[in-house]
Amino acid sequence: MKSANLPQRVAAAAALCASLLLAPVSQAEESILERSFCVFDPVGANGPLFAITKTFQPVAMKEGIKLDLRAYTDEKVAAEDFKAGQCDAVLLTGTRAREFNKFTGTLEAMGAVPGEEEMRLLYNTLSQAKARPFLIDGPYEVAGVFPGGAVYLHTRDRSIDSVEELQGKRIATLDFDTASVRMVRHVGASVVGSNSANFAGKFNNGSVDLAYAPAVAYSPLELYKGVQPNGGVFKYALAYMNFQVIIHRDRFPDDAGQMVRDQAIKRIDEAYQIIDQAEADIPEDVWMHPPQEDVAEYDKMLRKVRLSLLEDGVYDERAIKLMKAIRCRVDGSRSECAS
């Protein structure tokens, strides 16, 4: 079941991550800079992403950077080390990045980005120089944001094919994420506290009935072991995952963040090729396609939860308004666009 194209996809992802961090700094100073980059990889130092990222150390040295890469299987630890100043830069998921920037941490809001067209418009907007004030929060700057793909619900049992069927079911839930916890409870399911390092194992061994993840995690985290033989992947985007490079502003040139964003937007097609290939590699008979009338109801449900989280201060109002404007620009017939 493992994809034959996985090494190429991982290599492309690694190249994208490395280029985002390396390009601006190498252009900023000619003297040797020692900078640490903490990389979240669910598999750790032996993981494919971290292994290939290591090949960029000699490239960085030629550009005047002595790059210290550090692998983390626990995203929480990576975030804490970065906050403590032990990392000059860090690669995190958008949800975990929320503690460093509430605005960009809202980009993974439930149902806020329905698809690729909306996400491309969002990234183009954030890559503009005038968007920088939204990307700075105290000592931190979000130097780059790039897509991880739509987040889908994975189930071990295909009979769980509606919101009603979720009641009482055990869902591996990122327990640090208020939004995910509230969503699971909203549908009447049971929260099983998990993190990025153990959710796949819990799903694969049957400790939980369902888990949520983007298609790019299907093969590397062996989620097909949980899906087989009676499960599936529900093809409805609960949210849109992203990865963010965050830097300590005082450890990089002032224009570093914008240079990273300029590099990121130039290579966004590469990121989408990785996502598209990952989705194509999931067998067609694994996908579960909801009826269109159900999709409209799911959209309304996610909007209700999203607005309640905004009201409680979990989400940033500016980001929520921006993403609504983008949704309505793409599809003005949406019911929310009349308000």
PDB file of all heavy atoms in Angstrom, residues 82 97-105 131-143 244 246-250 261 316 318:
ATOM      1  N   PHE A  82      11.626  26.258  21.257  1.00  0.00           N
ATOM      2  CA  PHE A  82      11.692  27.504  20.498  1.00  0.00           C
ATOM      3  C   PHE A  82      11.353  28.691  21.396  1.00  0.00           C
ATOM      4  O   PHE A  82      12.038  29.718  21.389  1.00  0.00           O
ATOM      5  CB  PHE A  82      10.738  27.434  19.308  1.00  0.00           C
ATOM      6  CG  PHE A  82      10.623  28.724  18.537  1.00  0.00           C
ATOM      7  CD1 PHE A  82      11.679  29.185  17.754  1.00  0.00           C
ATOM      8  CD2 PHE A  82       9.461  29.479  18.586  1.00  0.00           C
ATOM      9  CE1 PHE A  82      11.578  30.377  17.037  1.00  0.00           C
ATOM     10  CE2 PHE A  82       9.346  30.669  17.876  1.00  0.00           C
ATOM     11  CZ  PHE A  82      10.409  31.112  17.110  1.00  0.00           C
ATOM     12  N   ALA A  97       1.200  26.587  16.017  1.00  0.00           N
ATOM     13  CA  ALA A  97       1.779  27.923  15.874  1.00  0.00           C
ATOM     14  C   ALA A  97       0.896  29.002  16.480  1.00  0.00           C
ATOM     15  O   ALA A  97       1.336  30.151  16.632  1.00  0.00           O
ATOM     16  CB  ALA A  97       2.022  28.224  14.392  1.00  0.00           C
ATOM     17  N   ARG A  98      -0.332  28.661  16.834  1.00  0.00           N
ATOM     18  CA  ARG A  98      -1.271  29.663  17.350  1.00  0.00           C
ATOM     19  C   ARG A  98      -0.745  30.378  18.582  1.00  0.00           C
ATOM     20  O   ARG A  98      -1.043  31.555  18.811  1.00  0.00           O
ATOM     21  CB  ARG A  98      -2.621  29.007  17.659  1.00  0.00           C
ATOM     22  CG  ARG A  98      -3.751  30.015  17.915  1.00  0.00           C
ATOM     23  CD  ARG A  98      -5.060  29.310  18.225  1.00  0.00           C
ATOM     24  NE  ARG A  98      -5.453  28.444  17.139  1.00  0.00           N
ATOM     25  CZ  ARG A  98      -6.096  27.281  17.303  1.00  0.00           C
ATOM     26  NH1 ARG A  98      -6.389  26.858  18.516  1.00  0.00           N
ATOM     27  NH2 ARG A  98      -6.409  26.549  16.258  1.00  0.00           N
ATOM     28  N   GLU A  99       0.054  29.706  19.401  1.00  0.00           N
ATOM     29  CA  GLU A  99       0.563  30.348  20.606  1.00  0.00           C
ATOM     30  C   GLU A  99       1.601  31.423  20.291  1.00  0.00           C
ATOM     31  O   GLU A  99       1.915  32.257  21.149  1.00  0.00           O
ATOM     32  CB  GLU A  99       1.151  29.320  21.564  1.00  0.00           C
ATOM     33  CG  GLU A  99       2.401  28.611  21.078  1.00  0.00           C
ATOM     34  CD  GLU A  99       2.981  27.686  22.136  1.00  0.00           C
ATOM     35  OE1 GLU A  99       3.329  28.178  23.229  1.00  0.00           O
ATOM     36  OE2 GLU A  99       3.064  26.464  21.877  1.00  0.00           O
ATOM     37  N   PHE A 100       2.144  31.416  19.068  1.00  0.00           N
ATOM     38  CA  PHE A 100       3.128  32.416  18.682  1.00  0.00           C
ATOM     39  C   PHE A 100       2.533  33.515  17.814  1.00  0.00           C
ATOM     40  O   PHE A 100       3.093  34.601  17.718  1.00  0.00           O
ATOM     41  CB  PHE A 100       4.293  31.745  17.948  1.00  0.00           C
ATOM     42  CG  PHE A 100       4.988  30.697  18.763  1.00  0.00           C
ATOM     43  CD1 PHE A 100       4.771  29.348  18.505  1.00  0.00           C
ATOM     44  CD2 PHE A 100       5.811  31.049  19.821  1.00  0.00           C
ATOM     45  CE1 PHE A 100       5.395  28.372  19.264  1.00  0.00           C
ATOM     46  CE2 PHE A 100       6.433  30.077  20.591  1.00  0.00           C
ATOM     47  CZ  PHE A 100       6.223  28.734  20.320  1.00  0.00           C
ATOM     48  N   ASN A 101       1.411  33.209  17.172  1.00  0.00           N
ATOM     49  CA  ASN A 101       0.735  34.207  16.360  1.00  0.00           C
ATOM     50  C   ASN A 101      -0.723  33.781  16.201  1.00  0.00           C
ATOM     51  O   ASN A 101      -1.022  32.828  15.481  1.00  0.00           O
ATOM     52  CB  ASN A 101       1.405  34.349  14.987  1.00  0.00           C
ATOM     53  CG  ASN A 101       0.836  35.504  14.180  1.00  0.00           C
ATOM     54  OD1 ASN A 101      -0.344  35.546  13.874  1.00  0.00           O
ATOM     55  ND2 ASN A 101       1.690  36.466  13.834  1.00  0.00           N
ATOM     56  N   LYS A 102      -1.599  34.499  16.863  1.00  0.00           N
ATOM     57  CA  LYS A 102      -3.020  34.136  16.850  1.00  0.00           C
ATOM     58  C   LYS A 102      -3.624  34.273  15.460  1.00  0.00           C
ATOM     59  O   LYS A 102      -4.498  33.485  15.063  1.00  0.00           O
ATOM     60  CB  LYS A 102      -3.778  35.005  17.846  1.00  0.00           C
ATOM     61  CG  LYS A 102      -5.219  34.608  18.077  1.00  0.00           C
ATOM     62  CD  LYS A 102      -5.829  35.482  19.157  1.00  0.00           C
ATOM     63  CE  LYS A 102      -7.299  35.171  19.383  1.00  0.00           C
ATOM     64  NZ  LYS A 102      -7.884  36.055  20.434  1.00  0.00           N
ATOM     65  N   PHE A 103      -3.141  35.257  14.697  1.00  0.00           N
ATOM     66  CA  PHE A 103      -3.675  35.477  13.353  1.00  0.00           C
ATOM     67  C   PHE A 103      -3.395  34.275  12.458  1.00  0.00           C
ATOM     68  O   PHE A 103      -4.313  33.682  11.882  1.00  0.00           O
ATOM     69  CB  PHE A 103      -3.073  36.753  12.752  1.00  0.00           C
ATOM     70  CG  PHE A 103      -3.576  37.068  11.374  1.00  0.00           C
ATOM     71  CD1 PHE A 103      -4.706  37.844  11.194  1.00  0.00           C
ATOM     72  CD2 PHE A 103      -2.916  36.597  10.240  1.00  0.00           C
ATOM     73  CE1 PHE A 103      -5.182  38.133   9.917  1.00  0.00           C
ATOM     74  CE2 PHE A 103      -3.370  36.873   8.966  1.00  0.00           C
ATOM     75  CZ  PHE A 103      -4.509  37.648   8.802  1.00  0.00           C
ATOM     76  N   THR A 104      -2.128  33.888  12.314  1.00  0.00           N
ATOM     77  CA  THR A 104      -1.806  32.748  11.444  1.00  0.00           C
ATOM     78  C   THR A 104      -2.272  31.436  12.062  1.00  0.00           C
ATOM     79  O   THR A 104      -2.528  30.468  11.346  1.00  0.00           O
ATOM     80  CB  THR A 104      -0.303  32.669  11.152  1.00  0.00           C
ATOM     81  OG1 THR A 104       0.424  32.501  12.375  1.00  0.00           O
ATOM     82  CG2 THR A 104       0.180  33.915  10.436  1.00  0.00           C
ATOM     83  N   GLY A 105      -2.402  31.410  13.393  1.00  0.00           N
ATOM     84  CA  GLY A 105      -2.912  30.215  14.055  1.00  0.00           C
ATOM     85  C   GLY A 105      -4.387  29.991  13.804  1.00  0.00           C
ATOM     86  O   GLY A 105      -4.924  28.922  14.115  1.00  0.00           O
ATOM     87  N   ALA A 131       1.141  42.795   4.391  1.00  0.00           N
ATOM     88  CA  ALA A 131       0.546  41.858   5.348  1.00  0.00           C
ATOM     89  C   ALA A 131       1.451  41.612   6.546  1.00  0.00           C
ATOM     90  O   ALA A 131       1.036  40.982   7.518  1.00  0.00           O
ATOM     91  CB  ALA A 131       0.239  40.528   4.657  1.00  0.00           C
ATOM     92  N   ARG A 132       2.699  42.100   6.482  1.00  0.00           N
ATOM     93  CA  ARG A 132       3.663  41.783   7.537  1.00  0.00           C
ATOM     94  C   ARG A 132       3.177  42.100   8.952  1.00  0.00           C
ATOM     95  O   ARG A 132       3.431  41.319   9.877  1.00  0.00           O
ATOM     96  CB  ARG A 132       4.995  42.500   7.272  1.00  0.00           C
ATOM     97  CG  ARG A 132       6.092  42.003   8.216  1.00  0.00           C
ATOM     98  CD  ARG A 132       7.385  42.795   8.116  1.00  0.00           C
ATOM     99  NE  ARG A 132       8.387  42.234   8.994  1.00  0.00           N
ATOM    100  CZ  ARG A 132       9.469  42.872   9.390  1.00  0.00           C
ATOM    101  NH1 ARG A 132       9.686  44.124   8.975  1.00  0.00           N
ATOM    102  NH2 ARG A 132      10.339  42.294  10.204  1.00  0.00           N
ATOM    103  N   PRO A 133       2.498  43.226   9.188  1.00  0.00           N
ATOM    104  CA  PRO A 133       2.052  43.511  10.560  1.00  0.00           C
ATOM    105  C   PRO A 133       1.207  42.389  11.179  1.00  0.00           C
ATOM    106  O   PRO A 133       1.238  42.187  12.398  1.00  0.00           O
ATOM    107  CB  PRO A 133       1.224  44.792  10.397  1.00  0.00           C
ATOM    108  CG  PRO A 133       1.833  45.465   9.211  1.00  0.00           C
ATOM    109  CD  PRO A 133       2.184  44.347   8.274  1.00  0.00           C
ATOM    110  N   PHE A 134       0.489  41.645  10.348  1.00  0.00           N
ATOM    111  CA  PHE A 134      -0.324  40.545  10.861  1.00  0.00           C
ATOM    112  C   PHE A 134       0.527  39.330  11.225  1.00  0.00           C
ATOM    113  O   PHE A 134       0.075  38.457  11.960  1.00  0.00           O
ATOM    114  CB  PHE A 134      -1.369  40.131   9.822  1.00  0.00           C
ATOM    115  CG  PHE A 134      -2.333  41.222   9.457  1.00  0.00           C
ATOM    116  CD1 PHE A 134      -2.196  41.929   8.274  1.00  0.00           C
ATOM    117  CD2 PHE A 134      -3.376  41.558  10.306  1.00  0.00           C
ATOM    118  CE1 PHE A 134      -3.077  42.943   7.938  1.00  0.00           C
ATOM    119  CE2 PHE A 134      -4.267  42.571   9.986  1.00  0.00           C
ATOM    120  CZ  PHE A 134      -4.123  43.270   8.796  1.00  0.00           C
ATOM    121  N   LEU A 135       1.744  39.279  10.694  1.00  0.00           N
ATOM    122  CA  LEU A 135       2.603  38.116  10.874  1.00  0.00           C
ATOM    123  C   LEU A 135       3.612  38.302  12.000  1.00  0.00           C
ATOM    124  O   LEU A 135       4.374  37.391  12.313  1.00  0.00           O
ATOM    125  CB  LEU A 135       3.340  37.807   9.561  1.00  0.00           C
ATOM    126  CG  LEU A 135       2.440  37.682   8.325  1.00  0.00           C
ATOM    127  CD1 LEU A 135       3.274  37.405   7.089  1.00  0.00           C
ATOM    128  CD2 LEU A 135       1.394  36.583   8.520  1.00  0.00           C
ATOM    129  N   ILE A 136       3.605  39.479  12.602  1.00  0.00           N
ATOM    130  CA  ILE A 136       4.508  39.774  13.710  1.00  0.00           C
ATOM    131  C   ILE A 136       3.709  39.813  15.003  1.00  0.00           C
ATOM    132  O   ILE A 136       2.659  40.442  15.084  1.00  0.00           O
ATOM    133  CB  ILE A 136       5.221  41.125  13.492  1.00  0.00           C
ATOM    134  CG1 ILE A 136       6.193  41.028  12.312  1.00  0.00           C
ATOM    135  CG2 ILE A 136       5.960  41.547  14.752  1.00  0.00           C
ATOM    136  CD1 ILE A 136       6.875  42.343  11.978  1.00  0.00           C
ATOM    137  N   ASP A 137       4.232  39.124  16.005  1.00  0.00           N
ATOM    138  CA  ASP A 137       3.595  39.125  17.317  1.00  0.00           C
ATOM    139  C   ASP A 137       4.706  39.145  18.362  1.00  0.00           C
ATOM    140  O   ASP A 137       5.347  38.130  18.629  1.00  0.00           O
ATOM    141  CB  ASP A 137       2.726  37.881  17.502  1.00  0.00           C
ATOM    142  CG  ASP A 137       1.832  37.972  18.738  1.00  0.00           C
ATOM    143  OD1 ASP A 137       2.165  38.776  19.628  1.00  0.00           O
ATOM    144  OD2 ASP A 137       0.825  37.247  18.817  1.00  0.00           O
ATOM    145  N   GLY A 138       4.968  40.314  18.913  1.00  0.00           N
ATOM    146  CA  GLY A 138       6.033  40.434  19.902  1.00  0.00           C
ATOM    147  C   GLY A 138       7.382  40.082  19.302  1.00  0.00           C
ATOM    148  O   GLY A 138       7.774  40.615  18.260  1.00  0.00           O
ATOM    149  N   PRO A 139       8.111  39.153  19.921  1.00  0.00           N
ATOM    150  CA  PRO A 139       9.449  38.797  19.434  1.00  0.00           C
ATOM    151  C   PRO A 139       9.447  37.826  18.257  1.00  0.00           C
ATOM    152  O   PRO A 139      10.497  37.473  17.738  1.00  0.00           O
ATOM    153  CB  PRO A 139      10.095  38.141  20.658  1.00  0.00           C
ATOM    154  CG  PRO A 139       8.947  37.503  21.377  1.00  0.00           C
ATOM    155  CD  PRO A 139       7.787  38.456  21.188  1.00  0.00           C
ATOM    156  N   TYR A 140       8.252  37.399  17.832  1.00  0.00           N
ATOM    157  CA  TYR A 140       8.167  36.364  16.804  1.00  0.00           C
ATOM    158  C   TYR A 140       7.648  36.916  15.475  1.00  0.00           C
ATOM    159  O   TYR A 140       6.857  37.852  15.437  1.00  0.00           O
ATOM    160  CB  TYR A 140       7.236  35.239  17.249  1.00  0.00           C
ATOM    161  CG  TYR A 140       7.537  34.705  18.626  1.00  0.00           C
ATOM    162  CD1 TYR A 140       6.627  34.865  19.669  1.00  0.00           C
ATOM    163  CD2 TYR A 140       8.741  34.046  18.894  1.00  0.00           C
ATOM    164  CE1 TYR A 140       6.905  34.382  20.941  1.00  0.00           C
ATOM    165  CE2 TYR A 140       9.024  33.554  20.160  1.00  0.00           C
ATOM    166  CZ  TYR A 140       8.097  33.729  21.186  1.00  0.00           C
ATOM    167  OH  TYR A 140       8.381  33.252  22.438  1.00  0.00           O
ATOM    168  N   GLU A 141       8.090  36.266  14.398  1.00  0.00           N
ATOM    169  CA  GLU A 141       7.543  36.567  13.076  1.00  0.00           C
ATOM    170  C   GLU A 141       7.298  35.254  12.335  1.00  0.00           C
ATOM    171  O   GLU A 141       8.148  34.367  12.347  1.00  0.00           O
ATOM    172  CB  GLU A 141       8.497  37.440  12.261  1.00  0.00           C
ATOM    173  CG  GLU A 141       7.954  37.755  10.864  1.00  0.00           C
ATOM    174  CD  GLU A 141       8.760  38.793  10.104  1.00  0.00           C
ATOM    175  OE1 GLU A 141       9.723  39.335  10.696  1.00  0.00           O
ATOM    176  OE2 GLU A 141       8.421  39.067   8.932  1.00  0.00           O
ATOM    177  N   VAL A 142       6.133  35.144  11.738  1.00  0.00           N
ATOM    178  CA  VAL A 142       5.833  33.988  10.898  1.00  0.00           C
ATOM    179  C   VAL A 142       6.472  34.270   9.544  1.00  0.00           C
ATOM    180  O   VAL A 142       5.971  35.086   8.765  1.00  0.00           O
ATOM    181  CB  VAL A 142       4.319  33.759  10.767  1.00  0.00           C
ATOM    182  CG1 VAL A 142       4.041  32.592   9.826  1.00  0.00           C
ATOM    183  CG2 VAL A 142       3.708  33.490  12.141  1.00  0.00           C
ATOM    184  N   ALA A 143       7.592  33.615   9.294  1.00  0.00           N
ATOM    185  CA  ALA A 143       8.384  33.906   8.107  1.00  0.00           C
ATOM    186  C   ALA A 143       7.875  33.178   6.867  1.00  0.00           C
ATOM    187  O   ALA A 143       8.196  33.557   5.747  1.00  0.00           O
ATOM    188  CB  ALA A 143       9.853  33.545   8.349  1.00  0.00           C
ATOM    189  N   GLN A 244       4.145  26.237   9.308  1.00  0.00           N
ATOM    190  CA  GLN A 244       4.646  27.599   9.450  1.00  0.00           C
ATOM    191  C   GLN A 244       6.071  27.607   9.964  1.00  0.00           C
ATOM    192  O   GLN A 244       6.415  26.869  10.890  1.00  0.00           O
ATOM    193  CB  GLN A 244       3.741  28.394  10.395  1.00  0.00           C
ATOM    194  CG  GLN A 244       2.294  28.453   9.917  1.00  0.00           C
ATOM    195  CD  GLN A 244       1.382  29.283  10.805  1.00  0.00           C
ATOM    196  OE1 GLN A 244       1.853  30.084  11.625  1.00  0.00           O
ATOM    197  NE2 GLN A 244       0.073  29.108  10.642  1.00  0.00           N
ATOM    198  N   ILE A 246       8.573  29.818  11.905  1.00  0.00           N
ATOM    199  CA  ILE A 246       8.529  30.952  12.833  1.00  0.00           C
ATOM    200  C   ILE A 246       9.951  31.251  13.287  1.00  0.00           C
ATOM    201  O   ILE A 246      10.722  30.332  13.585  1.00  0.00           O
ATOM    202  CB  ILE A 246       7.636  30.637  14.040  1.00  0.00           C
ATOM    203  CG1 ILE A 246       6.275  30.114  13.564  1.00  0.00           C
ATOM    204  CG2 ILE A 246       7.448  31.877  14.912  1.00  0.00           C
ATOM    205  CD1 ILE A 246       5.423  29.539  14.670  1.00  0.00           C
ATOM    206  N   ILE A 247      10.296  32.520  13.345  1.00  0.00           N
ATOM    207  CA  ILE A 247      11.644  32.908  13.728  1.00  0.00           C
ATOM    208  C   ILE A 247      11.634  33.880  14.901  1.00  0.00           C
ATOM    209  O   ILE A 247      10.648  34.585  15.133  1.00  0.00           O
ATOM    210  CB  ILE A 247      12.402  33.557  12.543  1.00  0.00           C
ATOM    211  CG1 ILE A 247      11.694  34.846  12.092  1.00  0.00           C
ATOM    212  CG2 ILE A 247      12.530  32.587  11.384  1.00  0.00           C
ATOM    213  CD1 ILE A 247      12.451  35.625  11.017  1.00  0.00           C
ATOM    214  N   HIS A 248      12.735  33.880  15.632  1.00  0.00           N
ATOM    215  CA  HIS A 248      12.991  34.936  16.606  1.00  0.00           C
ATOM    216  C   HIS A 248      13.469  36.141  15.805  1.00  0.00           C
ATOM    217  O   HIS A 248      14.528  36.103  15.171  1.00  0.00           O
ATOM    218  CB  HIS A 248      14.068  34.507  17.605  1.00  0.00           C
ATOM    219  CG  HIS A 248      13.594  33.530  18.623  1.00  0.00           C
ATOM    220  ND1 HIS A 248      12.865  33.911  19.732  1.00  0.00           N
ATOM    221  CD2 HIS A 248      13.751  32.181  18.709  1.00  0.00           C
ATOM    222  CE1 HIS A 248      12.586  32.835  20.463  1.00  0.00           C
ATOM    223  NE2 HIS A 248      13.106  31.776  19.866  1.00  0.00           N
ATOM    224  N   ARG A 249      12.719  37.209  15.831  1.00  0.00           N
ATOM    225  CA  ARG A 249      13.006  38.363  14.973  1.00  0.00           C
ATOM    226  C   ARG A 249      14.392  38.951  15.206  1.00  0.00           C
ATOM    227  O   ARG A 249      15.057  39.399  14.264  1.00  0.00           O
ATOM    228  CB  ARG A 249      11.962  39.446  15.202  1.00  0.00           C
ATOM    229  CG  ARG A 249      10.544  39.055  14.758  1.00  0.00           C
ATOM    230  CD  ARG A 249       9.543  40.111  15.201  1.00  0.00           C
ATOM    231  NE  ARG A 249       9.884  41.429  14.677  1.00  0.00           N
ATOM    232  CZ  ARG A 249       9.490  42.564  15.238  1.00  0.00           C
ATOM    233  NH1 ARG A 249       8.788  42.546  16.358  1.00  0.00           N
ATOM    234  NH2 ARG A 249       9.813  43.716  14.697  1.00  0.00           N
ATOM    235  N   ASP A 250      14.853  38.939  16.453  1.00  0.00           N
ATOM    236  CA  ASP A 250      16.127  39.581  16.756  1.00  0.00           C
ATOM    237  C   ASP A 250      17.338  38.744  16.344  1.00  0.00           C
ATOM    238  O   ASP A 250      18.474  39.180  16.491  1.00  0.00           O
ATOM    239  CB  ASP A 250      16.212  39.915  18.251  1.00  0.00           C
ATOM    240  CG  ASP A 250      16.131  38.680  19.144  1.00  0.00           C
ATOM    241  OD1 ASP A 250      15.828  37.585  18.615  1.00  0.00           O
ATOM    242  OD2 ASP A 250      16.361  38.810  20.367  1.00  0.00           O
ATOM    243  N   ARG A 261       8.911  34.625   2.643  1.00  0.00           N
ATOM    244  CA  ARG A 261       7.567  34.590   2.051  1.00  0.00           C
ATOM    245  C   ARG A 261       7.624  34.707   0.528  1.00  0.00           C
ATOM    246  O   ARG A 261       6.835  34.075  -0.181  1.00  0.00           O
ATOM    247  CB  ARG A 261       6.701  35.694   2.673  1.00  0.00           C
ATOM    248  CG  ARG A 261       6.377  35.427   4.144  1.00  0.00           C
ATOM    249  CD  ARG A 261       5.394  36.429   4.695  1.00  0.00           C
ATOM    250  NE  ARG A 261       5.977  37.741   4.926  1.00  0.00           N
ATOM    251  CZ  ARG A 261       6.668  38.089   6.017  1.00  0.00           C
ATOM    252  NH1 ARG A 261       6.876  37.206   6.976  1.00  0.00           N
ATOM    253  NH2 ARG A 261       7.145  39.314   6.165  1.00  0.00           N
ATOM    254  N   ASP A 316      -8.714  34.581  15.762  1.00  0.00           N
ATOM    255  CA  ASP A 316      -8.487  35.997  15.506  1.00  0.00           C
ATOM    256  C   ASP A 316      -9.552  36.514  14.544  1.00  0.00           C
ATOM    257  O   ASP A 316      -9.732  35.958  13.452  1.00  0.00           O
ATOM    258  CB  ASP A 316      -7.087  36.180  14.900  1.00  0.00           C
ATOM    259  CG  ASP A 316      -6.720  37.643  14.710  1.00  0.00           C
ATOM    260  OD1 ASP A 316      -7.290  38.283  13.804  1.00  0.00           O
ATOM    261  OD2 ASP A 316      -5.866  38.132  15.459  1.00  0.00           O
ATOM    262  N   ARG A 318      -9.724  39.148  12.685  1.00  0.00           N
ATOM    263  CA  ARG A 318      -9.240  39.647  11.392  1.00  0.00           C
ATOM    264  C   ARG A 318      -9.031  38.499  10.410  1.00  0.00           C
ATOM    265  O   ARG A 318      -9.378  38.614   9.220  1.00  0.00           O
ATOM    266  CB  ARG A 318      -7.935  40.414  11.596  1.00  0.00           C
ATOM    267  CG  ARG A 318      -8.050  41.625  12.516  1.00  0.00           C
ATOM    268  CD  ARG A 318      -6.675  42.101  12.939  1.00  0.00           C
ATOM    269  NE  ARG A 318      -5.919  41.033  13.599  1.00  0.00           N
ATOM    270  CZ  ARG A 318      -4.618  41.121  13.909  1.00  0.00           C
ATOM    271  NH1 ARG A 318      -3.947  42.221  13.605  1.00  0.00           N
ATOM    272  NH2 ARG A 318      -4.007  40.114  14.506  1.00  0.00           N
TER     273      ARG A 318
END
